[in-house]
Amino acid sequence: MAYLALDHLSFSYPDATAPALSDLCLDIDAGSFVVLCGPSGCGKTTLLRQLKPALAPAGEREGQIRLAGRLLDELPARESASHIGFILQDPDSQIVTDQVYHELAFGLENLGVASDEIRLRVAEIASFFGIQEWFGCACNVLSGGQKQLLNLAAIMASRPALLLCDEPTSQLDPIAAANFLTTCKKINDEIGTTIIVSEQRLEEVVPLADRVLVLESGRLIADATPEHIGADLLAAHSPMFAALPTPIRLFSALEGERAIGVTPAPTTVRAGRAYLQEKLSSRSVAEEAPIVAPRELDASAKPLLSLHEVWFRYERNAPDVLRGLNLDIYPGELTAIVGSNATGKTTTLNIIAGLLKPYRGRVKRDQHMLVGGTGTGGIALLPQDPRLLFTHKTVREELTAMLPLASGSATERAQRLSDVIDQCEITGLLDRHPFDVSGGEAQRIALADVLLARPRLLLLDEPTKGMDAIFKQRFAKLLHTLIAAEGLSVVMVSHDIEFCARHADRCCLCFNGEITASAPPRPFFANMTYYTTAARRISRGLAPDAITTSDIIAALSPGTPE
Amino acid sequence: MIAFFTRHYYVVSLILVALALGLFALDFERRRPRTRELVLVAVLVALAVASRAAFFMVPQVKPVMAVVIVAGIALGARNGFTIGALTALASNFIFGQGPWTPWQMLAFGLVGCLAGALFAKNRLPRNRWLVAAVGGVATFVLYGLIVDTSSALLFTQNLNWQTAWPIYVAGVPFNAIFAASTAVFLALFGPMLEGALTRVRKKYGLR
Amino acid sequence: MPADHSGGFASLHPAVSIGYFVLVIGVSVFVPHPVLLACSVLGALVLCLQLRGGRSTLRLLAGLVPLALIAAAINPLFNHQGVTIIGQIGGNPVTREALLYGAALACMLVAMLLWFTCYNVVVTTEKFLAVFGRIIPSLALTVSMALRFVPRYLRQLKAITAAQRGLGRNSASVTDSPGGDKYPWGVCHAANLLNRLRNSFAVLSILTSWALESALDTADSMHARGYGLPGRSAYRPFRFTARDAGALALILTCAAVVIVALTSGVVSAQYLPSLQLNLGAAGLPANARNLLIACAYGAFGLLCLLPVLFELQEEVAWRISRSTI
């Protein structure tokens, strides 16, 4: 019998027109590692919360959930607390106490475990997770990745048999995210804990999983192993196909319907390379394959803004964060600054925005192009957390309050408001409280807020963090529309190299307080081996200059784009 | 035998303060507050402490009492006391504990409690100006009296007006600035804070 | 960092160290006896030097001494009790007893503040909460959560301010904008102030909403981990060892002697109207009284120097263990 069984589970929120979950039937075996994915608002969180009675939202539920043969509703509260672990998105807000050791002990205290037993369990859990080094720290000094690992460790201390993670890595940088997921896999492999993880970013997690579930509008539209999920989604014409890891997409796109249920797809870069190599040996590669030409960058263009030999440090005695950084931002371009954590990316953005002043070096802004004749515009920065901006009770009031910053007459402003609302697709959200919307929606509202002032240069700090694959594409389209229609220039700082490779006009690598390389994405990413897109890593030495899946496909079969 | 301690006024008063704080602590523990109520109390204490720390450069001009008063109004007299007392305790973890800690706990707690007793359940209309006025007066009289009395007890052998009046007089300007800034903060931020609290309490499902 | 001090006296079980400070500060504040105060000031001063180092202690004293002088001066100025008049100020008599009492109060103030300084180094927040977590668990947890929130809120406050500035909603943008020159300086200034006030309003309201919303997650996380189930236990991160038991026994013995001497009145101090030391229990034979007085002085002296001895012992033990390697 299945460990976790969902029998015709449906759920509706109060006052909702459509059910959040409809008629889910699902059996999950003990010890499996399941990835749950789907676009924002598809019901992932709702489903996970149904599996944890303490967190189940109020609403109307039909159908049954059984855990190890018992109805979940009949599980005593104590057992439900210890047997089912739940990790939330935000690493920071789910930490309860202020000391690491106390956080590890907190759940055990709640369960009434004796002090000596707690000491033992805390010791073993700290050893298993390798957190001895920061065991004596206050929680506030930890990095985001360490915090999320602490949350995981604190939950594992009560030895749950089922671990539910609701987008646990959405707030983490790629290295911390990979570390978290590997730890989950280690728990799954070595302890046998059943794990269900919901995720937006599938590249790393899918290869680790036994099974992938795809939800759309509360329905289960696909349920397969990672090796077969690609073909299923392709056959279902699901937009979620775009979110799958590169090797799977490459395989499914090349094999098409033939592959459904027959040949397993490669899920890792290694398997992807092997597959591509085999494919190539049976086919002649067109060396002169017509690669989609990149948009030519105008070499003679005058920069909108340039940083020249910029040095910056936060405090007099602190080390330099920027060490002679040079950067030119050209008008009408989407410039992406990539690089790992703590290399000075966000600092650079703040210097461009004028929020920080370098202690040496020059920041040259082309006032004519930046301010223009309208008297407004200038530079606007969209922070990582859009909730830092919202001051009003409804989205409508929020946007209206930004209007005085827009130029022109009252009618022009009203026109501007309705244009921006349309562009950012937030018409349906206008009467909601800005804190009651989802992360992706909050991002769009914040973007609308920023755009109302008609900036000439838009700065984005990690804009794709927490966005689903489908919205990412729409977001890229929106950016390019704004660039084309309004002559906007965009600088974004990002860890999302896949996004930058596809959508940026120019990529800059920030390392050790300098811009180490700056080029259009194709030469930029084709030139790198480690810090580059998965498609590049798969095709390195096999397809020249291919940095996206469509490049590889184009190289293999001339004339048939993805 | 206690008469042999020549400073028995101080001893007795400290025992009384400790008793009062202990009773409220007992009341809070006995009530077994729900998780969300507990978290809400912690958030308000932290907001009050953060507001004390954020305005660190300007002595006496701090919104900390305003936060405590609004919290008392929104969550009632008992929670008002808890939030006030814990604010004093927690902020002294940051700024240093001292002999003033128990007195400040009592003073902040009583002001929060009074605000709750007067305004909770709409006993008095929650008019912005009325709240500001009452908050200012309560801060000046109640907080000022308690804190200055603690100094007076510390510095005189037996509390009597002849020796203690300079201490009270010296306290007036400080208390007046603190009370006035509390009133200003209440008038400016009170309704906003209250609105946010009401919204979240509804979302938390707390009555 | 002195805040991380963890050897010697600070390595005792927190319940022992909290009890110790309550006792020593209590006696120093309640009994203005010159000998006891002298012991107390000496013990606290040396401990302060050991825990915080010379420079930091000097800085502390530089602030403390003027305060003590004021405290010493206030009493004779406003308190005119006392039998020995030594002068007049503003038509009021100044008495020797009031002067002495003022000096005692000043010593008491110095002792108390020095002891609290040491307390803040030895009894860190988590030690305090670990002890009180067993007595008042909900309140201790609330304080622990609040203390975790505070630095987060301060960080968030910075981030919100930066985000608002990045959006152009800052006071600077008003003066920097091309229209800014139209206004005379005064108007611009007033507009600036109003704008700044409006901005701090916005910043605070964002912080409040954000804090309350993200606490919802915290509550969920607590609930999910079984908070509120009956029969909660309390983890004791600090073990009560034989060393703690020994220290506690020593402290309690000393305390018992001092308290017997104080409650019987054999050791007592009265300043006003006339200075009278150790007057109580007149019925006892002189020898017994003197012995008890000597014992009480010795016991309190030992009590005040106890942490200093612990620190010294650790230092010596460390040197010996190093030299035998």
Side-chain angles (χ1 to χ4, degrees):
Chain A
M1 185 162 67
Y3 173 65
L4 179 68
L6 272 57
D7 186 17
H8 296 283
L9 180 74
S10 297
F11 179 81
S12 310
Y13 284 100
D15 309 325
T17 45
L21 298 174
S22 43
D23 204 33
L24 293 183
C25 292
L26 198 60
D27 285 342
I28 289 173
D29 293 325
S32 46
F33 190 124
V34 179
V35 170
L36 179 64
C37 56
S40 291
C42 69
K44 296 191 296 286
T45 302
T46 311
L47 174 57
L48 285 177
R49 284 186 174 243
Q50 292 299 324
L51 304 180
K52 172 84 186 171
L55 299 183
E60 209 168 305
R61 203 183 85 188
E62 283 166 39
Q64 288 175 339
I65 306 170
R66 283 173 190 276
L67 186 71
R70 279 195 293 172
L71 278 177
L72 198 61
D73 301 325
E74 290 166 8
L75 206 65
R78 189 173 298 273
E79 258 180 73
S80 143
S82 64
H83 283 23
I84 309 172
F86 200 102
I87 302 254
L88 301 154
Q89 249 185 61
D90 183 0
D92 225 338
S93 59
Q94 52 186 318
I95 294 178
V96 178
T97 64
D98 65 339
Q99 296 290 319
V100 169
Y101 82 82
H102 197 189
E103 190 63 23
L104 290 174
F106 177 75
L108 300 171
E109 287 182 324
N110 295 338
L111 298 170
V113 178
S115 193
D116 287 333
E117 172 77 7
I118 296 183
R119 198 183 306 279
L120 171 72
R121 291 224 210 158
V122 164
E124 71 162 350
I125 213 77
S127 312
F128 185 84
F129 284 88
I131 56 183
Q132 299 94 320
E133 274 166 46
W134 34 278
F135 183 71
C137 291
C139 299
N140 284 311
V141 305
L142 306 182
S143 69
Q146 286 173 326
K147 281 178 183 153
Q148 198 64 306
L149 220 52
L150 172 63
N151 289 321
L152 182 61
I155 279 162
M156 292 314 292
S158 54
R159 301 177 178 165
L162 173 63
L163 177 65
L164 308 168
C165 306
D166 187 11
E167 296 190 23
T169 66
S170 68
Q171 304 297 313
L172 306 183
D173 66 81
I175 291 173
N179 189 16
F180 181 89
L181 293 172
T182 325
T183 312
C184 283
K185 182 63 181 165
K186 185 179 164 196
I187 293 169
N188 179 250
D189 280 344
E190 296 180 13
I191 316 293
T193 312
T194 310
I195 298 182
I196 307 180
V197 187
S198 79
E199 272 292 351
Q200 301 281 14
R201 238 181 348 200
L202 299 178
E203 201 82 42
E204 289 92 14
V205 74
V206 163
L208 304 175
D210 310 321
R211 193 165 162 192
V212 182
L213 305 177
V214 185
L215 279 184
E216 261 180 40
S217 317
R219 292 175 188 284
L220 192 63
I221 60 152
D223 172 2
T225 59
E227 288 78 18
H228 294 105
I229 190 73
D232 283 11
L233 284 181
L234 194 64
H237 300 288
S238 163
M240 277 309 288
F241 179 78
L244 289 176
T246 311
I248 299 181
R249 266 186 297 136
L250 182 66
F251 175 86
S252 306
L254 289 173
E255 301 297 321
E257 309 261 322
R258 273 185 298 143
I260 293 178
V262 192
T263 347
T267 60
T268 60
V269 167
R270 187 180 70 170
R273 277 184 73 78
Y275 164 74
L276 194 61
Q277 232 148 6
E278 187 195 331
K279 201 83 188 161
L280 286 172
S281 62
S282 64
R283 214 196 263 225
S284 66
V285 200
E287 275 292 332
E288 67 283 42
I291 293 168
V292 191
R295 194 149 78 94
E296 275 303 314
L297 298 177
D298 186 358
S300 65
K302 224 174 114 221
L304 183 65
L305 184 145
S306 55
L307 305 185
H308 182 70
E309 287 296 321
V310 163
W311 291 72
F312 181 81
R313 61 174 78 143
Y314 281 91
E315 268 152 49
R316 177 121 190 68
N317 298 321
D320 285 316
V321 180
L322 301 183
R323 302 180 175 86
L325 181 130
N326 291 302
L327 176 66
D328 290 330
I329 310 291
Y330 292 94
E333 278 188 14
L334 171 53
T335 309
I337 303 177
V338 298
S340 48
N341 262 0
T343 48
K345 299 196 305 287
T346 301
T347 308
T348 308
L349 207 60
N350 283 327
I351 287 200
I352 296 173
L355 295 177
L356 300 175
K357 299 260 178 287
Y359 72 91
R360 198 188 305 157
R362 262 183 317 144
V363 181
K364 219 178 111 205
R365 298 184 173 83
D366 190 319
Q367 284 303 331
H368 181 69
M369 276 197 278
L370 271 176
V371 179
T374 56
T376 56
I379 305 175
L381 170 65
L382 187 66
Q384 236 180 74
D385 182 357
R387 293 186 300 174
L388 296 178
L389 296 178
F390 301 147
T391 41
H392 291 82
K393 288 197 187 77
T394 64
V395 175
R396 194 189 303 277
E397 284 177 43
E398 183 63 46
L399 296 173
T400 320
M402 279 303 288
L403 273 183
L405 287 175
S407 61
S409 65
T411 39
E412 276 171 2
R413 287 179 181 184
Q415 184 58 43
R416 177 76 187 154
L417 182 62
S418 69
D419 284 352
V420 165
I421 289 171
D422 283 347
Q423 278 171 335
C424 298
E425 305 175 43
I426 51 172
T427 318
L429 306 172
L430 288 177
D431 293 314
R432 305 265 293 275
H433 191 286
F435 275 96
D436 286 339
V437 303
S438 76
E441 288 167 342
Q443 193 106 26
R444 276 182 274 165
I445 297 166
L447 185 65
D449 239 8
V450 169
L451 287 177
L452 275 178
R454 252 186 225 274
R456 310 298 297 165
L457 176 59
L458 177 62
L459 308 176
L460 306 168
D461 193 359
E462 294 283 356
T464 60
K465 201 176 195 175
M467 269 186 197
D468 67 56
I470 299 162
F471 186 68
K472 258 188 215 175
Q473 290 178 343
R474 294 227 296 274
F475 178 72
K477 216 176 118 201
L478 170 63
L479 286 184
H480 282 292
T481 316
L482 290 170
I483 290 172
E486 311 204 357
L488 186 74
S489 314
V490 181
V491 178
M492 63 182 272
V493 149
S494 184
H495 284 299
D496 190 345
I497 51 180
E498 305 287 338
F499 183 89
C500 297
R502 287 178 68 144
H503 303 294
D505 295 316
R506 186 187 295 272
C507 291
C508 306
L509 179 68
C510 191
F511 178 71
N512 202 22
E514 285 180 278
I515 297 294
T516 324
S518 170
R522 188 174 310 281
F524 183 87
F525 285 111
N527 199 17
M528 293 206 260
T529 309
Y530 300 97
Y531 193 80
T532 187
T533 61
R536 178 63 197 155
R537 281 176 278 141
I538 290 171
S539 65
R540 179 173 40 89
L542 303 174
D545 286 354
I547 61 165
T548 65
T549 326
S550 22
D551 290 345
I552 303 178
I553 296 165
L556 282 171
S557 42
T560 46
E562 187 182 358
Chain B
M1 71 179 186
I2 207 158
F4 287 103
F5 292 93
T6 41
R7 295 171 54 76
H8 52 269
Y9 273 84
Y10 195 55
V11 179
V12 171
S13 62
L14 253 184
I15 290 174
L16 286 180
V17 171
L19 264 177
L21 294 176
L23 277 178
F24 268 98
L26 201 68
D27 171 60
F28 188 78
E29 296 290 337
R30 278 276 187 77
R31 262 192 294 154
R32 299 193 114 266
R34 289 167 54 192
T35 312
R36 291 188 164 187
E37 198 179 339
L38 196 87
V39 174
L40 200 55
V41 169
V43 170
L44 288 164
V45 169
L47 278 174
V49 176
S51 76
R52 182 177 171 189
F55 286 72
F56 193 49
M57 303 314 284
V58 197
Q60 305 297 325
V61 182
K62 295 176 192 306
V64 50
M65 189 61 96
V67 177
V68 169
I69 288 170
V70 175
I73 294 173
L75 305 186
R78 285 161 138 194
N79 280 327
F81 188 91
T82 313
I83 291 168
L86 292 188
T87 298
L89 180 67
S91 70
N92 284 337
F93 275 123
I94 297 166
F95 299 100
Q97 302 287 359
W100 47 81
T101 304
W103 300 95
Q104 283 185 350
M105 286 174 71
L106 185 71
F108 273 96
L110 284 180
V111 175
C113 184
L114 181 73
L118 290 178
F119 288 98
K121 297 182 187 139
N122 293 323
R123 281 189 203 103
L124 281 181
R126 290 187 193 178
N127 172 292
R128 168 192 294 240
W129 308 110
L130 186 62
V131 171
V134 170
V137 172
T139 306
F140 185 75
V141 177
L142 208 53
Y143 177 86
L145 199 66
I146 292 174
V147 170
D148 291 344
T149 303
S150 84
S151 329
L153 281 166
L154 196 60
F155 287 115
T156 58
Q157 183 171 8
N158 296 319
L159 190 65
N160 60 29
W161 182 243
Q162 282 147 338
T163 49
W165 70 265
I167 293 171
Y168 286 96
V169 171
V172 164
F174 292 98
N175 296 331
I177 297 175
F178 189 39
S181 61
T182 299
V184 170
F185 281 118
L186 277 173
L188 282 177
F189 301 124
M192 174 274 287
L193 188 57
E194 215 186 307
L197 264 177
T198 314
R199 192 187 105 74
V200 165
R201 284 181 70 211
K202 208 169 138 198
K203 205 168 162 181
Y204 276 37
L206 291 175
R207 288 284 96 220
Chain C
M1 277 281 290
D4 289 346
H5 191 89
S6 61
F9 186 65
S11 64
L12 283 178
H13 191 277
V16 177
S17 27
I18 291 178
Y20 174 82
F21 280 112
V22 168
L23 191 71
V24 179
I25 295 174
V27 170
S28 314
V29 171
F30 296 149
V31 191
H33 190 288
V35 179
L36 301 193
L37 278 179
C39 294
S40 183
V41 170
L42 187 72
L45 189 62
V46 178
L47 183 62
C48 206
L49 278 169
Q50 281 175 326
L51 294 180
R52 306 204 16 174
R55 184 174 297 222
S56 156
T57 308
L58 269 183
R59 228 179 300 139
L60 186 71
L61 282 178
L64 258 180
V65 168
L67 199 67
L69 287 178
I70 294 172
I74 282 180
N75 199 58
L77 281 183
F78 295 98
N79 190 340
H80 314 301
Q81 293 169 290
V83 289
T84 327
I85 297 172
I86 53 171
Q88 287 223 325
I89 292 180
N92 285 316
V94 175
T95 66
R96 194 178 69 141
E97 286 77 16
L99 203 65
L100 285 175
Y101 188 58
L105 282 179
C107 286
M108 183 202 77
L109 186 72
V110 170
M112 183 174 65
L113 293 177
L114 283 175
W115 280 121
F116 265 108
T117 308
C118 300
Y119 168 92
N120 284 326
V121 176
V122 172
V123 184
T124 54
T125 310
E126 72 260 28
K127 285 189 187 172
F128 179 89
L129 291 177
V131 169
F132 281 89
R134 299 182 57 76
I135 311 167
I136 40 169
S138 313
L139 283 169
L141 181 65
T142 313
V143 173
S144 170
M145 284 164 65
L147 287 173
R148 202 188 106 58
F149 290 152
V150 171
R152 271 183 80 197
Y153 292 179
L154 292 177
R155 235 184 359 238
Q156 193 73 2
L157 211 54
K158 265 192 192 162
I160 294 169
T161 314
Q164 294 288 318
R165 286 178 60 204
L167 200 55
R169 269 182 192 158
N170 56 332
S171 46
S173 73
V174 171
T175 44
D176 289 350
S177 72
D181 324 353
K182 273 191 295 194
Y183 302 104
W185 185 84
V187 175
C188 196
H189 193 70
N192 218 341
L193 191 73
L194 195 72
N195 216 39
R196 223 196 264 163
L197 218 73
R198 200 180 302 137
N199 284 319
S200 62
F201 180 86
V203 167
L204 274 182
S205 94
I206 296 171
L207 178 71
T208 311
S209 312
W210 172 85
L212 291 167
E213 295 284 338
S214 81
L216 215 55
D217 265 2
T218 314
D220 272 351
S221 157
M222 291 168 72
H223 201 42
R225 286 151 73 188
Y227 185 76
L229 290 173
R232 188 169 197 274
S233 64
Y235 175 48
R236 292 189 300 268
F238 301 98
R239 282 179 303 135
F240 194 84
T241 61
R243 182 166 167 269
D244 296 310
L248 187 64
L250 194 58
I251 291 170
L252 287 180
T253 315
C254 292
V257 174
V258 174
I259 286 170
V260 165
L262 286 176
T263 50
S264 66
V266 170
V267 172
S268 66
Q270 192 196 327
Y271 289 79
L272 302 167
S274 63
L275 179 68
Q276 289 176 321
L277 293 181
N278 306 343
L279 267 193
L284 280 176
N287 283 347
R289 284 172 51 91
N290 286 342
L291 183 66
L292 188 52
I293 291 172
C295 285
Y297 286 175
F300 193 68
L302 179 61
L303 199 61
C304 288
L305 287 174
L306 200 65
V308 174
L309 295 177
F310 263 98
E311 295 289 318
L312 277 180
Q313 181 253 332
E314 166 135 319
E315 180 70 28
V316 170
W318 176 246
R319 296 238 166 126
I320 290 174
S321 82
R322 281 291 291 273
S323 62
T324 51
I325 290 173

